[in-house]
Amino acid sequence: MASLKGKVIIITGASSGIGQGIAVHLAPYKPKLVLAARGTAGLEATSKQCQDAGLAADSILTVQCDVSKDDNLENLVDTTIKTFGSIYGLVNNAGYGVIANIEQTDMKDYDGIMNVNLRAPFYLSKLCMPHLKTSKGCVINVSSIVSKMGIGVIAPYCLSKAALDHLTHLLAAETGPSGVRVNSVNPGYIRTPAHQKVGLAKEQIAQMETEHLIGTPLGRLGEVEDVSKLVKFLL
Ligand SMILES: NC(=O)c1ccc[n+]([C@@H]2O[C@H](COP(=O)([O-])OP(=O)(O)OC[C@H]3O[C@@H](n4cnc5c(N)ncnc54)[C@H](O)[C@@H]3O)[C@@H](O)[C@H]2O)c1
């Protein structure tokens, strides 16, 4: 329990789903959490849940941050250092997709997905790296099982996650000698608000869940807590 005590961990996309779940799961281990997302209401909700889980309010920093904007990422790192003085963990979790094959893809969506799912983890890792080298810390990229599968209806998303895996390999090779660990988690289907956000109807989500269950030997869908426990282990 003591190993994460006082360690500064940044989580992007902490206002919802997996990012929120990771924050709440880590809270009882008493780290210093930096919760980053675009919406203040979601950030406040996560902060409240972390406090309910036993983390003191002054161990939580919420930073409004659109990860597709360089100056927002720079502000996130600056504010973290000004507030807590160090960075031990970076969880690059913010991400999204749209339902579109290659032919249907609007190139604005392509750029948006690549900016959030790939460019942001690249730039944020670069910005955090001097601090992670000092703390002998780590980066965790939240990728997806689709990085290894070409699911045509979410083509740019699959591509972004495949590239994110490569970033994990590159970064791990570059920073391992300095004592910084870099890993990714690649969940399958996890129940979060993400599937409604891409515009899927309730019936479509139910059908998708049934299809995923068929291919899941344990006979149950993945839950946010499954991912959170793995992230805690990697941290
Ligand atoms: N839910 C799944 O089935 C599943 C499976 C595999 C991987 N993932 C990955 O897990 C991560 C979290 O997804 P989720 O299912 O919790 O979805 P979610 O929609 O509940 O949460 C995504 C988070 O990312 C944030 N985000 C998106 N764009 C952002 C931006 N420009 N700036 C800052 N924050 C931004 C959202 O605000 C939200 O907090 C994503 O990277 C996703 O690709 C999800």
Side-chain angles (χ1 to χ4, degrees):
M1 285 287 272
S3 64
L4 290 180
K5 196 168 179 202
K7 291 190 171 159
V8 181
I9 298 164
I10 297 175
I11 304 169
T12 66
S15 60
S16 169
I18 293 172
Q20 184 173 67
I22 292 169
V24 176
H25 183 76
L26 293 178
Y29 299 92
K30 308 277 195 276
K32 296 205 184 296
L33 289 183
V34 183
L35 308 174
R38 288 166 300 177
T40 47
L43 283 174
E44 287 315 315
T46 306
S47 172
K48 166 89 175 48
Q49 288 183 42
C50 289
Q51 290 172 57
D52 291 346
L55 191 60
D58 63 3
S59 291
I60 303 169
L61 172 68
T62 57
V63 182
Q64 210 175 351
C65 174
D66 180 338
V67 299
S68 67
K69 298 191 170 134
D70 285 0
D71 60 351
N72 283 211
L73 296 176
E74 288 152 10
N75 177 59
L76 173 60
V77 174
D78 288 349
T79 310
T80 300
I81 292 300
K82 274 186 199 128
T83 309
F84 290 138
S86 65
I87 301 171
Y88 170 77
L90 168 63
V91 183
N92 284 311
N93 164 77
Y96 78 103
V98 297
I99 307 268
N101 65 19
I102 292 172
E103 200 179 345
Q104 295 158 342
T105 295
D106 180 327
M107 292 314 285
K108 282 200 185 104
D109 286 334
Y110 178 95
D111 289 342
I113 291 167
M114 287 298 170
N115 279 339
V116 170
N117 296 7
L118 180 64
R119 193 177 190 283
F122 186 107
Y123 189 41
L124 195 50
S125 300
K126 173 180 154 73
L127 291 171
C128 288
M129 201 45 68
H131 307 289
L132 296 173
K133 283 181 177 170
T134 303
S135 64
K136 305 281 182 226
C138 57
V139 177
I140 297 166
N141 293 322
V142 180
S143 181
S144 166
I145 197 171
V146 304
S147 70
K148 307 276 188 268
M149 306 154 68
I151 298 186
V153 291
I154 44 171
Y157 178 77
C158 290
L159 192 57
S160 72
K161 294 298 188 181
L164 181 63
D165 284 359
H166 208 61
L167 172 64
T168 301
H169 294 142
L170 285 168
L171 204 56
E174 181 174 320
T175 63
S178 306
V180 177
R181 295 170 295 113
V182 184
N183 287 287
S184 83
V185 294
N186 293 54
Y189 181 90
I190 305 289
R191 275 199 183 118
T192 71
H195 305 107
Q196 285 108 296
K197 286 183 198 166
V198 295
L200 289 172
K202 260 190 186 163
E203 305 72 44
Q204 289 171 304
I205 293 173
Q207 192 192 334
M208 201 162 71
E209 292 192 351
T210 306
E211 285 165 8
H212 275 86
L213 267 178
I214 294 166
T216 308
L218 281 180
R220 71 167 180 84
L221 293 172
E223 300 289 347
V224 167
E225 213 194 351
D226 297 316
V227 185
S228 306
K229 284 178 181 168
L230 181 53
V231 169
K232 152 73 177 52
F233 169 75
L234 292 170
L235 281 166

